[in-house]
Amino acid sequence: MTRGKRTIGHAPTAQEMEAMARRALAALPPAFAAHCEGIVLSIEDFADDETLQSVGLDEPFELTGIYEGIPLSDKSIEHSGTMPDRVRLFRRPILDEWAERGDETLEHLVAHVVIHEIGHHFGLSDDDMHALEEAADPDTAGG
């Protein structure tokens, strides 16, 4: 092994990023994971114009992910037959943020975005989402 030499490969594909996201979902505490089974996960290069407009953004690099659905706290029998909840991750903005930050692994950043969006499914506050992320991260659990 050559010290100090790092080989950088190609940017991860949508399928590779989806695998990272699915590993993050699998690491959720069982009480949360049980309520995520029906969520559709998709990876796209960028959000479409309609999605950007819906969240008040003009620049596609500003949106790394979005939750589309009805939070569990708001669901009722009246919502049966609706489209499944969905988490969409946007590959290029995630890669851009990862490259700009340079202080964490891509897997950790993908997990952060996934957990943030799943938090919206549960109707969690940002503080609650941070606690969920720590509970799902084996590197920070218990400390």
Side-chain angles (χ1 to χ4, degrees):
M1 181 173 149
T2 305
R3 285 184 59 100
K5 186 173 182 179
R6 180 175 172 196
T7 302
I8 308 290
H10 299 284
T13 64
Q15 293 80 13
E16 290 167 324
M17 192 171 281
E18 180 178 343
M20 290 177 209
R22 291 203 181 279
R23 284 191 296 273
L25 286 173
L28 288 172
F32 287 94
H35 296 283
C36 294
E37 290 179 7
I39 295 175
V40 174
L41 177 66
S42 66
I43 312 296
E44 303 164 39
D45 273 347
F46 290 103
D48 55 69
D49 289 338
E50 182 181 340
T51 301
L52 290 171
Q53 289 173 359
S54 76
V55 294
L57 296 174
D58 295 321
E59 173 57 49
F61 277 101
E62 292 179 3
L63 188 61
T64 56
I66 191 166
Y67 166 75
E68 297 171 328
I70 301 166
L72 289 175
S73 58
D74 295 342
K75 283 192 178 182
S76 72
I77 191 71
E78 296 171 9
H79 295 113
S80 66
T82 60
M83 295 297 289
D85 294 337
R86 181 164 76 153
V87 169
R88 295 166 61 201
L89 300 184
F90 305 114
R91 187 175 81 80
R92 296 284 306 278
I94 290 171
L95 291 172
D96 191 60
E97 180 177 335
W98 172 63
E100 283 184 10
R101 291 181 59 158
D103 65 349
E104 67 179 330
T105 66
L106 180 58
E107 292 82 0
H108 188 265
L109 182 58
V110 169
H112 171 78
V113 175
V114 168
I115 290 170
H116 182 88
E117 300 312 329
I118 289 296
H120 291 301
H121 173 66
F122 289 99
L124 299 176
S125 70
D126 284 340
D127 286 342
D128 291 337
M129 284 185 232
H130 182 70
L132 177 59
E133 184 176 4
E134 285 188 0
D137 185 350
D139 293 335
T140 61

